[in-house]
């Protein structure tokens, strides 16, 4: 029997939160690997820019905005993608937010917004796109977990709670949907440099500690997450579900590094 390959050619992917940072890197990586990709987020200008880059890679796409807090907008993305491409094979959930605050002082509205975006937003996407995938008997869902799904990061309790819950939700959906041909996994990135965190990583004690705790001695490049996404989205991972795939330069393995 031929080995199933690391191939997403001809697949249709939707990347929610796919127009900046890690999400944009995954959207472009899937496109370069042969998938048609719809990269969606709230910001129309970023959506347009990323769509242009996907099409420049020779893949099909179209520009559509969405908000993970708005079920109707997510349903619109699904409906439009089916109308244009016939189906959705791959869903990547990258939308997220955080705010650093001492836990004693976290405002409940801030707490709720972080959980609603990171956790409930992921659930909304999984429900809406998952129903379509279950009806077809095929699908690959990739959520974005975090180092804080496993260990605490100082003064980001709401984010950590949301990401621990994303890991748990991933496993719950995996066992519910496995017999129906839908694999649900997550990627847990380590510390990756993005335009939003460069100042923190390069000029703070927190950044120095992140670097010290990463045995490879450097921060990740967002492109280094693409291989994990392609693997989980491909038929090479057809018997992989409920897995949290850590890509962290050794961070979680780290004890004493010197």
């Amino acid at each position: 029997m031929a080995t199933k390959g690391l191939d997403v050619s001809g697949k249709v992917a939707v990347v929610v939160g796919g127009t900046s940072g890690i999400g944009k890197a995954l959207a472009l990586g899937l496109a370069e690997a042969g998938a048609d990709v719809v990269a969606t987020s709230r910001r129309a200008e970023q959506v347009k820019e990323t769509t242009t880059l996907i099409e420049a890679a020779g893949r099909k796409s179209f520009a559509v905005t969405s908000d993970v807090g708005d079920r109707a907008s997510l349903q619109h993305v699904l409906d439009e993608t089916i109308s244009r491409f016939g189906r959705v094979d791959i869903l990547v959930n990258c939308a997220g937010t955080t705010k650093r605050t001492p836990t004693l002082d976290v405002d409940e509205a801030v707490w709720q917004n972080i959980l609603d975006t990171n956790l409930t937003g992921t659930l909304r996407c999984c429900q809406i796109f998952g129903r379509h995938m279950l009806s077809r008997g095929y699908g690959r869902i990739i959520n974005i977990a975090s180092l804080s799904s496993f260990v605490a990061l100082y003064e980001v309790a709401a984010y950590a709670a949301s990401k621990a819950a994303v890991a748990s939700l991933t496993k719950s959906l995996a066992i519910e949907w496995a017999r129906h041909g839908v694999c649900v996994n997550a990627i847990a990135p380590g510390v990756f440099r993005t335009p939003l965190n460069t100042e923190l990583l390069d000029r703070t004690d927190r950044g120095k500690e992140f670097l010290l705790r990463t045995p490879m001695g450097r921060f990740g490049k967002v492109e280094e997450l693409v291989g994990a996404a392609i693997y989980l989205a491909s038929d090479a991972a057809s018997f992989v579900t409920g897995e949290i795939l850590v890509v962290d330069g050794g961070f979680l393995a780290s004890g004493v590094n010197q």
Side-chain angles (χ1 to χ4, degrees):
M1 184 176 72
T3 302
K4 293 182 178 181
L6 287 164
D7 185 15
V8 295
S9 297
K11 302 291 188 183
V12 177
V14 171
V15 184
V16 180
T19 63
S20 63
I22 288 171
K24 182 176 181 179
L26 296 184
L28 296 178
L30 286 167
E32 290 170 4
D36 295 324
V37 182
V38 178
T40 182
S41 70
R42 292 182 299 170
R43 295 175 176 84
E45 190 58 40
Q46 290 185 347
V47 170
K48 182 179 179 182
E49 176 192 342
T50 306
T51 299
T52 299
L53 291 172
I54 292 167
E55 291 174 336
R59 306 311 309 166
K60 296 177 184 176
S61 188
F62 67 95
V64 59
T65 59
S66 65
D67 183 340
V68 295
D70 180 357
R71 294 185 69 92
S73 76
L74 298 171
Q75 184 67 51
H76 177 67
V77 174
L78 173 63
D79 292 344
E80 281 296 303
T81 306
I82 292 172
S83 174
R84 293 167 185 256
F85 301 149
R87 67 193 190 281
V88 176
D89 302 301
I90 301 159
L91 170 68
V92 186
N93 289 314
C94 292
T97 188
T98 188
K99 183 177 181 180
R100 181 176 175 178
T101 313
T103 305
L104 193 63
D105 302 321
V106 172
D107 182 85
E108 283 195 18
V110 172
W111 174 278
Q112 192 58 50
N113 178 63
I114 292 171
L115 264 67
D116 188 61
T117 300
N118 297 356
L119 173 59
T120 313
T122 296
L123 172 66
R124 291 184 188 106
C125 294
C126 288
Q127 286 178 322
I128 289 168
F129 288 85
R131 190 177 300 277
H132 164 70
M133 292 175 173
L134 291 168
S135 73
R136 294 182 58 231
Y138 180 90
R140 299 287 183 265
I141 296 176
I142 303 170
N143 297 325
I144 300 298
S146 165
L147 293 176
S148 63
S149 299
F150 306 96
V151 296
L153 303 179
Y154 191 68
E155 292 184 342
V156 287
Y159 179 80
S162 72
K163 289 300 188 177
V166 165
S168 181
L169 174 65
T170 298
K171 294 178 181 181
S172 293
L173 295 178
I175 65 168
E176 290 185 38
W177 296 352
R179 69 191 64 186
H180 304 292
V182 178
C183 296
V184 187
N185 295 287
I187 296 171
V191 187
F192 283 77
R193 187 184 296 281
T194 71
L196 293 179
N197 68 12
T198 296
E199 184 74 16
L200 178 135
L201 295 184
D202 292 342
R203 301 184 184 279
T204 69
D205 289 340
R206 191 181 184 92
K208 292 176 184 176
E209 184 174 355
F210 277 135
L211 192 60
L212 180 66
R213 288 285 303 277
T214 303
M216 284 193 177
R218 63 176 178 84
F219 301 122
K221 303 172 185 176
V222 289
E223 294 79 11
E224 292 178 298
L225 291 163
V226 171
I230 291 172
Y231 167 65
L232 292 175
S234 76
D235 287 336
S238 58
F239 201 58
V240 178
T241 197
E243 181 66 24
I244 316 299
L245 179 53
V246 179
V247 184
D248 71 347
F251 186 103
L252 290 179
S254 174
V256 175
N257 287 315
Q258 54 189 331

